[in-house]
Amino acid sequence: MRKPYMAGNWKMNLDRAGALELAGALREHVGQREDVEVAVAPAFVYLRDVIELLKGSPIRVGAQNACAEASGAFTGEVSPVMLRDIGCDFVILGHSERRHVYGETDADINRKVHLALEHDLDVVLCVGETLEEREANKTEAVVKRHMTAGMTGLSEAQSRRVTIAYEPVWAIGTGLNATPEQAGDVHTYLRGVLEGLYGAAVAETTRIQYGGSVKPANVAELMSVDGVDGALVGGASLKADSFASIVDFGG
Ligand code: PGA
């Protein structure tokens, strides 16, 4: 009953022509399919072009980050108000590169989550442990903190607009993916935490994506895991044929 949700995080890749070519190929591949939800997150500067190109397609378009402020003197930042204004559907928040390269804290991410939802953007909230944290048996504590802190203060209605992406940091861009068992354990754990926070109905309907070196060759196995509701895909989302295959669960 949870519709699979496959999202491509293009990160700081592609030029305008490449972004449009990729979006066009995905539009063709996805057509008007309703059995799977497909989304792309281009760089800020190409969002508007990709949104225009995907008009009439069910593919959703989102940003990879947003500011925690609506407007004002924040040089270099982009407000969720602006993202909504140009037609974005969602925003990815708390990605590990934002946390670990740019030093975003759980409190920063929580403020961004609130502002994005206030301005009618859905949220993909990323959570995930580093290798060091996994080896120290802190995986559950870390993902619980990321999710709980990221969602602090959300109403039940707001929580329904959040998708969780479990992305073990050690699996992102490394070619190492979590085993189905590792992913299953964390997804089950997170759903239990969600139930404690928002009740069984929210836990049952919230999609939890897996992310970290998802590719055509491993997507079927990951998607067969109970509680894995989709994928957040970096590298393998940059080529139309590989992301199309991921959308088809490797088929
Ligand atoms: P990857 O990135 O698929 O290249 O590992 C995933 C992500 O960072 O969302």
Side-chain angles (χ1 to χ4, degrees):
M1 103 225 68
R2 292 185 295 268
K3 189 190 276 197
Y5 185 7
M6 306 309 229
N9 171 10
W10 294 355
K11 306 191 181 181
M12 198 170 71
N13 292 298
L14 303 169
D15 58 12
R16 181 169 177 272
L20 290 174
E21 194 185 324
L22 177 54
L26 294 174
R27 183 183 58 190
E28 293 303 305
H29 182 76
V30 171
Q32 294 300 321
R33 271 172 77 169
E34 290 181 355
D35 57 319
V36 58
E37 194 161 323
V38 181
V40 294
F44 283 128
V45 288
Y46 306 131
L47 278 168
R48 180 76 188 143
D49 292 316
V50 172
I51 287 166
E52 283 294 318
L53 188 133
L54 291 176
K55 278 225 170 97
S57 159
I59 299 175
R60 296 157 57 77
V61 184
Q64 303 167 16
N65 183 30
C67 187
E69 303 290 340
S71 66
F74 302 99
T75 300
E77 292 290 316
V78 176
S79 158
V81 180
M82 297 166 175
L83 296 173
R84 191 63 206 143
D85 184 39
I86 62 161
C88 278
D89 301 302
F90 73 99
V91 59
I92 298 170
L93 295 173
H95 188 276
S96 84
E97 286 143 24
R98 300 302 317 172
R99 293 179 191 269
H100 297 290
V101 183
Y102 294 99
E104 289 187 11
T105 65
D106 284 318
D108 297 330
I109 294 159
N110 181 241
R111 289 196 301 137
K112 293 180 178 204
V113 168
H114 275 276
L115 199 65
L117 291 169
E118 268 166 40
H119 293 285
D120 201 25
L121 292 166
D122 290 340
V123 169
V124 174
L125 173 64
C126 303
V127 307
E129 82 289 359
T130 62
L131 185 58
E132 202 181 17
E133 289 162 342
R134 174 163 283 268
E135 286 173 347
N137 285 323
K138 290 186 184 152
T139 297
E140 290 190 349
V142 171
V143 297
K144 179 180 185 178
R145 192 191 77 227
H146 284 170
M147 190 172 76
T148 307
M151 295 179 74
T152 295
L154 297 189
S155 66
E156 188 200 298
Q158 286 178 314
S159 76
R160 290 177 184 271
R161 297 190 64 170
V162 177
T163 295
I164 303 296
Y166 168 53
E167 299 204 300
V169 178
W170 49 271
I172 297 177
T174 58
L176 298 172
N177 58 280
T179 64
E181 193 184 10
Q182 287 170 326
D185 286 349
V186 176
H187 282 237
T188 302
Y189 175 73
L190 284 170
R191 203 172 301 284
V193 175
L194 261 181
E195 182 170 349
L197 290 172
Y198 292 104
V202 169
E204 263 307 297
T205 50
T206 298
R207 282 162 316 172
I208 306 180
Q209 298 170 317
Y210 168 79
S213 298
V214 176
K215 41 189 181 268
N218 62 19
V219 66
E221 191 177 39
L222 287 160
M223 288 302 294
S224 72
V225 177
D226 198 31
V228 173
D229 305 315
L232 181 57
V233 187
S237 74
L238 295 172
K239 293 226 159 59
D241 54 352
S242 80
F243 191 56
S245 166
I246 288 170
V247 166
D248 299 341
F249 299 3

